[in-house]
Amino acid sequence: MKKKFLDLAKQPLANSFLHNIKKKNLKREYFYNLSVSFDKKNHQVSLTKHVNPKMQYTNLYAHRASQSQTMRKFFQDIALKLQRKFKPKLSMEIGSNDGVFLKNFNKKNIIAVEPCINLAKITKLQGYKTYSKFWTKKLAKNIVKSHQKLDLIFSANTLSHIPNLKETFDAISISLSKDGILVIEDPYIGTVIKSNSYDQFYDEHVYVFSLLSISKTVSLSNLRLFDSEPITTHGGSMRYYICKVESKYKPTKRLNYFINKELKQKLNKFSTYQNFSQRVKKSKKDLIKLLTSLKKKKKKIIVYGATYKSTTILNYCNLGSKYFDYAIDTTPNKQGKFTPGKHIPIISPQKGFNDSVDYAFLGAWNFKKEIFKKEINFIKRGGKFITHVPKVRII
Ligand code: TYD
């Protein structure tokens, strides 16, 4: 049974950037109650109530995985590593976005699945076989019929977005070859708890997985976890290696190590999440206090990276144009728009990241390293960054 531990107030859809903020448009803006629950039975952390995916993954979907240099390099490395290690004949990616992972494969050896039409178009044009559909058992059966069973299925930051996990993993089980493997990556609840990164919760992140929860969930679809690897993307994710129950892969030592670590961190106990919820409330208070004191000193503060994550923070802490002059973001289709819920204008870094900025709140804190390297001149001239992870502070 799911039990609620965190209330993150009324929220808009994280990717619903507004074209204009005329009254008529604002009236139509959709809000829902964002709260998070823990299920003692399967150790799953999930949104108490999810939003209909058909409202989220439309042909206006703004996220482009290949926008950051860090991510391009990261996906290239894992694509080459998986091909070297497992030598798959036919692979597939679920949630292929703009092709940042699959472009490292030979076109004949990989299939793409991507429900957002605007993104699916990109990989289709590049010559990759792309199914512009939601991942279901029906689609899995069609793919097996038209091609063959798959030796590698990869999915990054996608399965945690799909409400029906039973259907999702059943479909994977149908399409995997005998010793085929599934590799998934998603933000990790162990890191969320440790770094107080409550902004990992927004409408698209229906689940934030642990090894304990994934292990139980896949076992219902004749699958099992055999390895895991912590990774740094999205501020702390976990890579899960999964195979069929009867497959040749043995559970690795590091899998056991990380499962024991989760038990020590008490990720199987409700009290862990209750304590986390108290820390989130304190984080909100601290952030409002810091920004208020800077505004009193007439400082100019902007948001650096109009991320989906920052939608949760801005709306939960009720931070709008009173605090932030604007947000800057490198994604062309976010520029000229307004942030969901709080309606802060978004402009390009070229236009907005100039000498007038005193403080930049890190919406894209997960790219802190890349950003600090790039913005060395801002830092040198005394510009400061603000972050809320693991604690609210000026850097
Ligand atoms: P992402 O990490 O995918 O976060 P989320 O899933 O929460 O949206 O998005 C990063 C965003 O930050 C993306 O819109 C691009 C932007 N960004 C910048 O504007 N400048 C930068 O230097 C970097 C690294 C990212």
Side-chain angles (χ1 to χ4, degrees), residues 63 67-68 202 234 304-310 328-331 334 349 364 366-367 370-371 374:
H63 177 77
Q67 281 294 315
S68 133
Y202 54 87
H234 290 283
Y304 195 110
T307 55
Y308 295 178
K309 291 189 288 294
S310 66
I328 54 161
D329 200 289
T330 49
T331 315
K334 287 184 187 174
N366 45 316
F367 290 112
E370 182 176 333
I371 293 170
K374 197 163 64 175

Side-chain angles (χ1 to χ4, degrees), residues 275-307:
N275 295 339
F276 165 70
S277 162
Q278 293 308 317
R279 294 197 297 277
V280 173
K281 282 184 194 149
K282 174 155 172 22
S283 175
K284 172 180 175 171
K285 266 193 199 153
D286 291 350
L287 185 59
I288 296 172
K289 201 169 139 196
L290 174 63
L291 295 175
T292 307
S293 78
L294 293 176
K295 277 325 269 183
K296 267 192 190 145
K297 291 181 200 151
K298 304 255 179 301
K299 298 293 180 194
K300 176 168 170 178
I301 318 171
I302 63 151
V303 179
Y304 195 110
T307 55

Side-chain angles (χ1 to χ4, degrees), residues 88-100:
K89 285 197 200 85
L90 185 62
S91 304
M92 177 178 77
E93 184 180 15
I94 306 174
S96 49
N97 199 270
D98 58 4
V100 65

Side-chain angles (χ1 to χ4, degrees), residues 187-197 200 208-209 230-231 234-238 265 267 276 365 389:
Y188 180 55
I189 191 68
T191 317
V192 171
I193 299 291
K194 209 171 133 201
S195 351
N196 224 26
S197 45
Q200 286 295 4
V208 182
F209 296 135
I231 46 177
H234 290 283
S237 297
M238 186 63 85
Q265 202 186 347
L267 294 186
F276 165 70
W365 56 268
V389 283

Side-chain angles (χ1 to χ4, degrees), residues 222-287:
N222 194 39
L223 298 168
R224 66 178 166 83
L225 194 55
F226 69 94
D227 196 9
S228 66
E229 193 180 11
I231 46 177
T232 54
T233 44
H234 290 283
S237 297
M238 186 63 85
R239 183 176 291 144
Y240 306 85
Y241 291 83
I242 294 157
C243 61
K244 290 197 160 173
V245 167
E246 61 279 7
S247 157
K248 64 180 180 187
Y249 297 103
K250 302 230 161 25
T252 62
K253 270 192 192 147
R254 70 174 172 181
L255 175 67
N256 290 333
Y257 170 81
F258 288 116
I259 286 185
N260 279 326
K261 210 169 157 197
E262 286 193 354
L263 293 171
K264 275 192 197 136
Q265 202 186 347
K266 300 198 169 102
L267 294 186
N268 53 343
K269 299 268 190 274
F270 186 67
S271 57
T272 305
Y273 301 96
Q274 280 176 308
N275 295 339
F276 165 70
S277 162
Q278 293 308 317
R279 294 197 297 277
V280 173
K281 282 184 194 149
K282 174 155 172 22
S283 175
K284 172 180 175 171
K285 266 193 199 153
D286 291 350
L287 185 59

